[in-house]
Structures are given as C-alpha cells and as structure tokens.
Amino acid sequence: MQEQAQDDLITRAQAWLAEDPDPETAAELAALIESADTAELADRFSGTLQFGTAGLRGEIGAGPMRMNRGVVIRAAAGLAAYLKAQGHDGGLVVVGYDARYKSADFARDTAAVMTGAGLRAALLPRPLPTPVLAYAIRHLGAVAGVEVTASHNPPRDNGYKVYLGDGSQIVSPADSEIAAQIAAVAKLADVPRPESGWQELGDEVLEAYLARTDAVLTPGSPRGVRTVYTAMHGVGKDVVLAAFARHGFPEPVLVAEQAEPDPAFPTVAFPNPEEPGAMDLAFAKAAEVQPDIVIANDPDADRCAVAVPTGDGWRMLRGDEVGALLAAHLVHKGVSGGDKVFAESIVSSSLLGRIAEAAGVGHEETLTGFKWIARVKGLRYGYEEALGYCVDPEGVRDKDGVTAALLVAELASVLKEQGRTLTDLLDDLAMAHGLHATDQLSVRVSDLSIIADAMAALRAQPPVSLAGLRVVSAEDLSRGTETLPPTDGLRYYLDGAYKARVIARPSGTEPKLKCYLEVVVPVAEASDLAPARVRGQEVLDAIKKDLSAAMGI
C-alpha cells in the first residue's frame, strides 16, 4: 500500500513537471523526483494552494502547494473565466507587481492569460506600490486588477491579490466563485497565452496617482517636518520621495541599506516594520541625523509605520496610536457630519469610536482586512492596527502607505510649528477619552495544527477570567453577529473599570495566531498619564499570561 502511494505521488509529480513552464521550478521538481524525496514531494502535492479573500499566498517553489507560474496561470485563467461569466468579456484588467522573486514573471503570465481569454490587459511599467495598482483600477475604468505581492511576508513567499472594478479587494462569494473556475482548469496547454497583445503602461498612471495625493493635504499647511525614511527593501522609495517633493516637504533622509528593492531582504529577518529588529537601521540613522519622525513602509508600501523620539532613543508607535492621530488630524482639518464615516476592523482600538463620537462623525467596525473596511458606506477614513490606513478612499479604496505617510508628515509639521509633537497629541487624546492601551499576543508556527488546537481549546473551555478580571461576554465570531458576517475568531469583554477586550483569531495571510488586547485606563489630568501607562501595561501583560495558559501555548 505504501509503495503504491509512493508511485502515485511520483506519477502526479511527473505530470506536473511535464506542464511546468518555468525552467527553474521544473529543474527543482525533477531533482526531487530523481532523488525520490517523498517527504518533500508529499508536502508539495498534498493539495493545492487555496484561493480565498486574500487571493493566493505561499512559498515559491514547484508543485500545486507552492507559488509558481503553473499555479498563477491557473489562477489567472480562473479569474478570467469568472469575469467573463459576470458579463465583463472584453473588459480591462490592470496588473501590478512588487519586486519579489518571480513577481514580474507572474504579472506577465497574468497579462498573457487575460489577453488570451478575450479580455484586455494593462501591465504597470515596473515594480510599484500596491496602492498605485488599487488607484489604477478605478482611474482606468478596469473591471478588475491583480497585484502580485506577498506584502511583508518572508523572502521565500509570493502572493496574488485580486481586486474588482470598484477598486476594493474581493470578498465572498466572489472568492469561492473564482476558486471554482480555477478548479475547472484542466491542462495548462488549454490556457491560451499569447506572446503579446496587452498594453504596457508608462508613467502616466503613476503621475495621475501622485496628482491625486493633492487631495490628502490642506493647501498652505505647514510642511517643515524632518524625516528619516526606510522602504524596507521594497518598492516605496521613489514614489514616497516624489510625493514628498511634490508637496514641498524636506527630502527624507534614506536608510541606504534598505532603500532599493531587494527580494532577499538581507538586513531583516522579516520585512515587516512591526517585527523585532526590522527598524534597527532606521533608528541608527535617526540617532545620527536627529529627525522629527521616522517613517517606514512595508515592501509593497501599502502599510506605514511611524516612530517618535523618546529622549533616549526611538519608539515605534502602535498602529492604533497612528490610527487615532490621523483621525484626530482629519477632525481638526474639518471632517465632520454623520454622513462621513470613520471605520476600523474589530481588532483595532475602540479609541477611534470615541474620537468619531466626539466629532459627530459616523463610526463602523468591520471584519479584519481592508476588503471589508473599503466597502463601508460613506467611508471617509479607515484603519486597522496592522499599520494600514486609508486616508483618501475616493482615490484608493485600500490601505495606502504613501498617502498615509504624507498625512503623518503634515500632522507632525502642524504640531512642530506649535512647538508640539505626536506624543503630545497622544497625551491630549488620552486625557480626553482615557488611555487606550493595546498590545498583541502573536505566535508564529510552523505547524498550522497548533493554531487550530489553540482555538479549539478556547472554544471547549472558554476562560472565566483573565488578569483577575471576570469574562462577562464571550462571543464565537464564527457564528456571526448582528453586524458582522461569520469569521474564525473569539471575542471577550472583561469586567471592571478598564473596559478590557480580547480578540483571538488566526492570521489570514501568515502562519500566526494573533490575539489583540485592549484596556482603557481613566485619566483625569496630565499627572495621571505616566501611572496610567504603567497600569495599562501591567493589565495587558497579565492578560497575555493567562490567555497563553488558556490556549495551551
């Protein structure tokens, strides 16, 4: 029986090899077959990468469980079939890509498949930020868009993100309908892939995107902030520098070691500003040149990180802190009225709701991801704690690390002219609304069953208290709520003065279990701020400890 299974595995691998259009992955697979590495082959042929609301994302390599040209061609063919079934035959599909390994190949394959299927395709001219692709869809009147990127995943990964004609990422049921069309693709030879026929775009779309950034800033506002900037080996540098120059900000000082695109990401373990050590070079440059703020993008520049001086170093602001700062700035700039909505994901801080309420602005919570935030009716501003900010939804219906960087720079410039800092404004918000202290318990795994087991443990035996605070509400979000569709997550509210909240969920894009924690500590006056921060962190640390025990990790 075991020998038969091994023979079947080899047969499937040989069939895949016969179709592989990429000499590199073909050679890789041929070597695995030759060496009869059944363990590795079994891993690569244990199924297929599943297409979902995050599109595709996985490790580059040969076989259906890896990202490769064969998988991408099938995905593109399935998307083309879906679009035609929706009545978009002949419609335009815009394709963008980052600077990761194979990104340009995957993008060209997609353009070829769309052209061969009777759709029109337009390819962005070079690796560019994801928000440029999101902007281009609506700007060009496309019926869909594809961005080849794995965002801030490790170097060995790549991904495939799909947008529809409204400029926002796909949600259900489009994901399952596209997946069904992908599954219906039989042989790669049956997928027409002409050598030409698609449009190679020039810089006109990028110029239009940069012109659109005018909408983010107030004419005549201060522009004096001095910035250190890192592109984290990604594609953000040229666009950010062009945007800052266009609007009269001082040219950011670059972290030279991370300024140019490099798919190996040689200076960081994970190319994500949130990961330990990723900002070390930026902080070293800041210590050298003493800017007002540090700004970082992730590799595809849809996220924006901000750091501030502490007196003896630099501190990365949490995404929730930047989210609140930008909301407060928009209110100061005149955003008001219940027809304007500030939106956030459920894992983000409740402070946004308090800012919105005080300003008479609408507020909504959505499931995690900008595919949901971008669809909020009347959206004026949206953010989520993972460093994603949508500050111009009429231009880009997705998170945009370039326009967010501009708005942060404007805010920091306004405060600088007043002799104040971003930290001072955070203090103002704490005194007005309470100190909203947030933290995260994040566990990266190599075995996804660990995540499933931890979630199962919480469902089987929900915690009755965390950090000595009684759990007064426990929601299984997989059942949905009055305002949210079902998602794999658990939400707890705790008793006591701190309005503590905990949400546990598997990451949608990485092999991580993520738990999002918040406590709100009352603050009466400025002298209460320091002890409130200490107390908030004590409660968060205690929650993390108890939650880890409850999950068995």
Side-chain angles (χ1 to χ4, degrees):
M1 183 70 72
Q2 184 175 358
E3 185 175 336
Q4 181 180 348
Q6 182 173 330
D7 290 344
D8 177 62
L9 180 61
I10 295 295
T11 299
R12 284 187 288 131
Q14 289 171 333
W16 184 275
L17 176 60
E19 288 195 316
D20 196 330
D22 188 332
E24 289 185 21
T25 51
E28 176 187 313
L29 184 55
L32 291 173
I33 294 171
E34 177 68 23
S35 64
D37 189 341
T38 53
E40 184 66 21
L41 287 171
D43 183 49
R44 292 165 183 253
F45 286 84
S46 60
T48 59
L49 280 183
Q50 292 301 300
F51 187 93
T53 54
L56 293 168
R57 196 172 292 190
E59 184 177 348
I60 295 170
M65 286 295 289
R66 298 288 187 270
M67 282 295 296
N68 52 64
R69 291 184 61 196
V71 165
V72 164
I73 289 166
R74 284 182 166 83
L79 174 60
Y82 167 81
L83 292 172
K84 293 173 73 173
Q86 295 293 311
H88 296 308
D89 199 1
L92 176 66
V93 178
V94 190
V95 185
Y97 58 102
D98 67 10
R100 284 178 177 267
Y101 294 120
K102 302 286 185 183
S103 284
D105 294 337
F106 296 166
R108 281 192 294 270
D109 281 334
T110 299
V113 170
M114 296 301 160
T115 303
L119 294 152
R120 293 178 295 124
L123 191 63
L124 291 182
R126 59 183 176 279
L128 286 168
T130 293
V132 176
L133 179 278
Y135 168 80
I137 294 166
R138 301 180 72 205
H139 176 67
L140 297 174
V143 299
V146 172
E147 177 72 8
V148 180
T149 180
S151 189
H152 55 272
N153 274 41
R156 65 181 182 272
D157 289 0
N158 212 329
Y160 199 80
K161 184 183 292 189
V162 176
Y163 298 76
L164 295 182
D166 62 356
S168 56
Q169 297 173 52
I170 57 168
V171 295
S172 183
D175 58 340
S176 58
E177 292 171 0
I178 295 170
Q181 295 283 6
I182 294 171
V185 177
K187 298 179 180 179
L188 286 189
D190 296 335
V191 180
R193 284 184 291 132
E195 295 293 323
S196 62
W198 55 88
Q199 182 183 5
E200 299 271 359
L201 295 168
D203 281 342
E204 63 278 359
V205 170
L206 176 59
E207 291 304 319
Y209 168 82
L210 288 169
R212 175 68 204 184
T213 62
D214 295 356
V216 176
L217 304 177
T218 300
S221 63
R223 308 284 164 91
V225 70
R226 294 177 300 111
T227 306
V228 160
Y229 171 76
T230 176
M232 204 66 68
H233 298 296
V235 298
K237 182 200 72 173
D238 290 346
V239 180
V240 167
L241 291 183
F244 271 56
R246 177 184 181 89
H247 297 295
F249 289 100
E251 182 176 354
V253 176
L254 299 177
V255 179
E257 301 94 328
Q258 299 174 335
E260 300 301 328
D262 188 337
F265 303 105
T267 68
V268 291
F270 292 97
N272 177 356
E274 293 180 295
E275 293 284 348
M279 294 290 287
D280 286 355
L281 288 173
F283 293 162
K285 177 59 71 173
E288 175 188 333
V289 303
Q290 295 297 306
D292 299 306
I293 58 173
V294 174
I295 290 178
N297 287 137
D298 66 338
D300 69 325
D302 63 350
R303 288 173 169 83
C304 177
V306 182
V308 295
T310 62
D312 59 352
W314 288 81
R315 179 177 80 85
M316 265 273 291
L317 296 180
R318 293 188 176 277
D320 284 320
E321 292 176 307
V322 178
L325 287 169
L326 291 179
H329 186 43
L330 289 170
V331 169
H332 180 73
K333 283 158 68 79
V335 174
S336 62
D339 59 331
K340 305 291 193 302
V341 178
F342 286 176
E344 62 183 325
S345 62
I346 58 172
V347 299
S348 302
S349 173
S350 60
L351 177 55
L352 183 68
R354 290 177 170 83
I355 293 171
E357 182 181 12
V361 174
H363 174 253
E364 283 195 31
E365 287 187 322
T366 73
L367 294 185
T368 307
F370 272 82
K371 56 184 174 284
W372 300 108
I373 293 172
R375 285 179 161 77
V376 168
K377 186 177 180 180
L379 180 68
R380 177 57 186 85
Y381 166 65
Y383 98 92
E384 82 179 356
E385 55 75 44
L387 310 182
Y389 315 95
C390 175
V391 301
D392 178 27
E394 289 304 307
V396 176
R397 290 191 180 177
D398 198 5
K399 54 187 177 293
D400 183 346
V402 179
T403 51
L406 285 174
L407 197 59
V408 166
E410 181 185 58
L411 171 57
S413 297
V414 169
L415 292 169
K416 182 179 180 179
E417 196 168 83
Q418 299 169 354
R420 305 177 74 236
T421 66
L422 296 177
T423 304
D424 292 330
L425 181 52
L426 285 173
D427 288 348
D428 291 348
L429 292 173
M431 286 187 283
H433 306 291
L435 178 72
H436 288 62
T438 60
D439 206 346
Q440 190 178 126
L441 172 61
S442 180
V443 182
R444 184 180 293 273
V445 301
S446 55
D447 181 358
L448 291 177
S449 68
I450 295 173
I451 295 176
D453 290 346
M455 294 295 290
L458 286 176
R459 286 188 167 102
Q461 193 168 355
V464 295
S465 69
L466 295 168
L469 303 172
R470 185 168 58 91
V471 176
V472 294
S473 171
E475 294 176 282
D476 188 340
L477 299 176
S478 66
R479 299 168 184 163
T481 72
E482 289 184 3
T483 57
L484 299 171
T487 187
D488 186 8
L490 299 163
R491 179 164 59 182
Y492 306 107
Y493 290 98
L494 311 183
D495 196 11
Y498 299 127
K499 301 182 178 68
R501 183 200 68 191
V502 175
I503 297 174
R505 60 177 286 271
S507 169
T509 57
E510 297 179 272
K512 282 183 174 182
L513 176 63
K514 290 186 170 183
C515 303
Y516 306 84
L517 324 174
E518 180 179 56
V519 300
V520 183
V521 184
V523 176
E525 53 191 35
S527 60
D528 295 334
L529 283 167
R533 288 195 178 92
V534 172
R535 181 56 184 152
Q537 194 58 54
E538 287 174 348
V539 177
L540 290 171
D541 289 344
I543 291 174
K544 278 200 281 189
K545 181 179 178 181
D546 290 351
L547 190 61
S548 294
M551 293 188 296
I553 56 175

